[in-house]
Amino acid sequence: MAQGPLSRFTVLDLTRVRSGPAAVRQFADWGATVIKIEEPGLAPDDKPGGSAQIPDYQNTHRNKQSITLNLKHPEGKALFLDLVRKADVVVENYRPSVKFKLGIDYESLRKINPRIVYGSVSGFGQDGPYVDRPGLDQIAQGIGGMMSVTGEPGRGPMRAGIPVADLSAGLFCAIGLLVALLERESSGEGQWVQTSLLQSQLWMMDFQAMRWLMNGEVPGQSGNDHPTSAPTGVYPTKDGYMNIAAMGNGIFARLCKVLEIEPLIEDERFRSVPLRAKNRPALNEAIAERTRTRTTEEWISLMNQEGVPCGPILGMDEVFEDPQVRHLRMSAPVDHPRLGKISVVGQPVVMSRTPFGQPTPAPETGEHNRTVYETMLGLDPARIEALAREGVI
């Protein structure tokens, strides 16, 4: 990848699986030198063990370098501390107690590099009654309320189809790290940045959380319908289904015009947003009766002409063929030395002067041992080979 706006920063990546790597990936994508530190040998929970994991690994760990290092070996820990002296950021997503057992917690590292910015992603936070519990995305979705509002009424809780807690925790960690690096420019000191799957999941609950915090209202499941606005949901068409989001009186009127059901505009049951939400079943039935008469493509064309928000519901085999998705370049090509030409998910951030560069493949374990240990620590090839024989790297 070409030199990017974060190229002056060096990040030591101790993360695994998803939440931590999601944070570090933002640095890697924008040009930071990211060194993924792995135990000698395979880490079963972080390495591709089957065909489904290989694409995931390539997407999660692109644009990184990989070294092997045994942090439990005294000499391995010493090498790590030498790397910390030259780094700007360390990111980990161990259980909270692990970093203290290894002696690589923030207070320990800041003694040798006061400028170090240290990022931690955990399941439930760095302290509190749940501190020692293992935290995974679905557990956070459950405790954070998401599963209680996802799915159809009466059919029990439902997880989201993506790891919302993991990915949002990674993004919040990245934001916190960038804020800390900006603050360091004035203070000259680093700091410890913390977030968790649970905190991030709660933040993502947004207006659903506020319904409880301000109004004492417990949100329930509403399936494909918007929790508070109608008509906003999934409607059948002649050849499948489509989304329609007609929030507000003006858009509702335009929708009724397109569907040729103008009498509903003056219907007492549907005169306002609260009334439409209250009488949602009858409204949805009336709309569905009309949407079934044309294809999804026909309705989308007609509704877009009238400014009614709508769209198709695409499978992943269709998403990346969508003309707008192609225009946004959300599929980024990668030339992999073993897998050949592959694609990863592109960056959703566009900058006017700083383009997102060509991604590089996720590294093999220890692929950059010689490069990193020679350039950063000045070790000669013979010493590097000896460290490998001794199980240090």
Side-chain angles (χ1 to χ4, degrees):
M1 180 176 178
Q3 190 177 60
L6 301 183
S7 59
R8 65 187 184 278
F9 298 118
T10 296
V11 179
L12 302 182
D13 179 11
L14 297 171
T15 69
R16 297 180 296 174
V17 189
R18 189 170 310 283
S19 61
V24 177
R25 181 171 59 185
Q26 292 301 102
F27 284 84
D29 275 3
W30 294 109
T33 298
V34 174
I35 301 170
K36 178 174 168 57
I37 298 175
E38 307 184 67
E39 292 184 28
L42 294 179
D45 59 350
D46 196 40
K47 285 292 182 181
S51 59
Q53 291 174 282
I54 292 174
D56 188 19
Y57 189 79
Q58 287 300 318
N59 190 54
T60 302
H61 296 289
R62 75 246 190 141
N63 296 324
K64 297 181 182 180
Q65 301 178 50
S66 170
I67 63 171
T68 49
L69 185 59
N70 184 356
L71 295 173
K72 297 176 183 177
H73 191 291
E75 195 164 354
K77 181 179 173 181
L79 288 172
F80 176 73
L81 296 180
D82 285 341
L83 290 171
V84 169
R85 290 183 176 92
K86 299 176 180 293
D88 298 282
V89 178
V90 174
V91 189
E92 59 86 19
N93 62 338
Y94 301 128
R95 282 201 206 181
S97 61
V98 171
K99 55 184 164 289
F100 295 100
K101 292 177 182 177
L102 292 172
I104 57 170
D105 55 280
Y106 171 65
E107 289 299 329
S108 297
L109 299 191
R110 72 186 293 263
K111 292 176 183 176
I112 63 171
N113 182 356
R115 291 176 57 80
I116 200 72
V117 172
Y118 193 105
S120 293
V121 184
S122 61
F124 305 105
Q126 295 298 313
D127 45 37
Y130 295 175
V131 66
D132 291 323
R133 292 188 184 185
L136 295 173
D137 177 85
Q138 187 158 337
I139 309 304
Q141 285 194 30
I143 298 176
M146 185 161 190
M147 292 176 68
S148 73
V149 300
T150 304
E152 296 179 346
R155 299 190 63 179
M158 180 70 67
R159 71 182 294 275
I162 58 170
V164 177
D166 272 343
L167 294 174
S168 59
L171 288 174
F172 289 133
C173 181
I175 292 169
L177 292 169
L178 289 168
V179 171
L181 287 169
L182 285 170
E183 192 279 338
R184 191 180 72 171
E185 293 181 359
S186 58
S187 69
E189 295 184 23
Q191 57 186 302
W192 187 9
V193 176
Q194 306 170 31
T195 192
S196 69
L197 273 60
L198 181 57
Q199 289 166 293
S200 301
Q201 180 62 81
L202 283 165
W203 193 94
M204 294 293 286
M205 293 304 293
D206 198 62
F207 76 96
Q208 295 282 47
M210 290 304 298
R211 291 171 69 185
W212 164 252
L213 289 174
M214 284 196 66
N215 299 334
E217 180 184 357
V218 179
Q221 295 164 298
S222 56
N224 286 321
D225 290 320
H226 189 279
T228 60
S229 177
T232 299
V234 174
Y235 297 90
T237 64
K238 195 172 184 178
D239 61 350
Y241 295 89
M242 68 179 296
N243 277 316
I244 300 173
M247 296 182 174
N249 292 337
I251 297 178
F252 176 63
R254 295 200 294 271
L255 172 65
C256 291
K257 177 184 176 183
V258 173
L259 295 177
E260 298 178 348
I261 51 176
E262 287 94 334
L264 294 188
I265 299 171
E266 301 301 327
D267 192 308
E268 291 298 328
R269 297 171 297 171
F270 312 132
R271 290 290 297 273
S272 67
V273 172
L275 285 171
R276 289 194 289 274
K278 179 182 177 181
N279 297 294
R280 188 196 308 270
L283 179 58
N284 281 346
E285 185 178 348
I287 292 172
E289 186 177 342
R290 290 293 301 142
T291 57
R292 286 191 182 96
T293 64
R294 294 179 183 265
T295 66
T296 299
E297 187 175 350
E298 288 173 324
W299 282 126
I300 288 174
S301 176
L302 291 169
M303 291 184 191
N304 279 331
Q305 290 175 33
E306 296 295 330
V308 177
C310 64
I313 300 170
L314 305 179
M316 289 310 304
D317 58 332
E318 302 169 296
V319 168
F320 287 96
E321 295 304 316
D322 182 88
Q324 186 65 27
V325 174
R326 292 172 69 91
H327 174 76
L328 294 172
R329 299 179 182 176
M330 286 305 296
S331 173
V334 175
D335 290 322
H336 193 282
R338 181 170 49 84
L339 301 174
K341 292 186 180 299
I342 63 173
S343 295
V344 295
V345 181
Q347 254 291 336
V349 176
V350 178
M351 298 192 186
S352 61
R353 291 189 296 102
T354 308
F356 173 58
Q358 172 79 31
T360 60
E364 300 293 332
T365 301
E367 179 181 339
H368 301 93
N369 272 357
R370 183 162 180 171
T371 301
V372 171
Y373 287 125
E374 280 188 2
T375 57
M376 286 192 68
L377 302 185
L379 304 184
D380 59 50
R383 182 58 182 148
I384 295 171
E385 291 177 11
L387 290 169
R389 288 195 303 270
E390 295 164 8
V392 177
I393 65 173

